[in-house]
Amino acid sequence: MPKLANSLFDNMTMNITAIHAPLIEVIAQAIPLNAEEIDIIQRLFKLKTYKKGTFFLAEGETCKYVGFIKKGILRYYINDDGEEKTYGFSQEAEFICNYESFVPQKPSRQIIQALEDSELLVISYRDLQQFYDKIRAGDRFGRLVIEQVFIQTLKDLNSFYTDTAPSRYENFIRQHPELQQRLSQYYIASYVGVKPQSLSRIRKRLLTS
């Protein structure tokens, strides 16, 4: 079981399930938690599994959850007149959500899809309000997560529309060096904004430059 950031929790680890341990560790690095709050978090966050190719959020659906990725990779993309345009990826120990849909509870144009068999700890909009009410610094943690996901989403979208394909590939390597072995060329090329054949040429140019 991961060691929690706060040494005050050393005697509480027996109350933390193996399922929730990674989530508790991440939260404890940002805000103080006591044993009662840990129990509340474990009650509010539910484990959901997503088979490869299935959707955390489909086009036109309302985003129902904030998710914490225990295992797997998910991608953000939009359907542009039948063409899939990938603008971001999330992996283990990261939070995932479309706050533009989740906060107002309105349909989403963005799509979030599992690229591997994935396990997520999810919390619904209603249960998130309980998290804010019952965890002393819960609202502060919520703001930190929203800022993190929202800012990264904006960066990814801005990059998609303003950066060149080679720049986007270099950004991908820098931000997700370990994902090259886990993602198909199709998804990496979709993120870069080119066809797989063009991605191969970009790689060759970068290797020889």
Side-chain angles (χ1 to χ4, degrees):
M1 180 175 294
K3 181 176 175 59
L4 296 174
N6 192 328
S7 61
L8 294 176
F9 296 159
D10 288 345
N11 295 324
M12 301 180 189
T13 54
M14 293 301 293
N15 296 324
I16 301 173
T17 67
I19 291 173
H20 289 89
L23 171 66
I24 298 297
E25 182 178 24
V26 168
I27 296 176
Q29 289 172 352
I31 62 173
L33 295 172
N34 58 36
E36 181 181 359
E37 290 170 328
I38 288 173
D39 288 340
I40 291 170
I41 291 169
Q42 294 183 139
R43 177 171 54 82
L44 294 177
F45 280 84
K46 311 293 197 308
L47 182 67
K48 284 180 67 71
T49 59
Y50 296 85
K51 291 291 186 181
K52 179 180 179 179
T54 60
F55 298 96
F56 176 83
L57 177 64
E59 184 176 13
E61 288 186 349
T62 297
C63 189
K64 299 177 181 178
Y65 304 106
V66 175
F68 174 82
I69 304 173
K70 277 178 55 65
K71 184 182 77 171
I73 305 171
L74 291 93
R75 68 161 175 154
Y76 293 83
Y77 74 98
I78 57 174
N79 187 337
D80 186 12
D81 291 329
E83 182 181 359
E84 295 180 0
K85 294 187 174 180
T86 301
Y87 62 88
F89 302 100
S90 289
Q91 62 190 107
E92 288 86 357
E94 295 181 348
F95 286 92
I96 190 165
C97 185
N98 176 7
Y99 285 101
E100 194 175 28
S101 170
F102 181 79
V103 173
Q105 287 292 281
K106 292 183 178 181
S108 171
R109 184 177 176 230
Q110 299 171 5
I111 304 165
I112 305 177
Q113 181 187 35
L115 298 185
E116 297 178 344
D117 290 347
S118 301
E119 296 180 356
L120 279 71
L121 288 166
V122 303
I123 185 168
S124 68
Y125 182 87
R126 181 176 179 179
D127 285 345
L128 185 61
Q129 309 316 306
Q130 291 191 52
F131 178 90
Y132 292 153
D133 290 340
K134 296 181 178 181
I135 308 300
R136 288 166 298 166
D139 56 344
R140 180 161 63 88
F141 181 77
R143 286 196 303 272
L144 290 173
V145 171
I146 289 174
E147 289 171 1
Q148 173 191 350
V149 175
F150 187 66
I151 290 172
Q152 187 60 50
T153 300
L154 285 178
K155 286 182 178 178
D156 289 337
L157 283 172
N158 287 337
S159 172
F160 189 87
Y161 288 109
T162 61
D163 290 345
T164 64
S167 294
R168 282 183 59 74
Y169 180 64
E170 289 181 290
N171 289 338
F172 169 80
I173 294 174
R174 184 168 56 253
Q175 295 175 13
H176 307 287
E178 70 287 356
L179 292 191
Q180 292 187 77
Q181 305 305 317
R182 295 172 66 181
L183 293 176
S184 72
Q185 296 304 296
Y186 172 83
Y187 293 123
I188 298 175
S190 175
Y191 175 82
V192 173
V194 297
K195 301 297 183 184
Q197 302 92 318
S198 298
L199 178 63
S200 296
R201 289 193 291 270
I202 291 172
R203 281 177 158 173
K204 289 177 181 178
R205 284 199 298 270
L206 291 175
L207 287 172
T208 57
S209 61

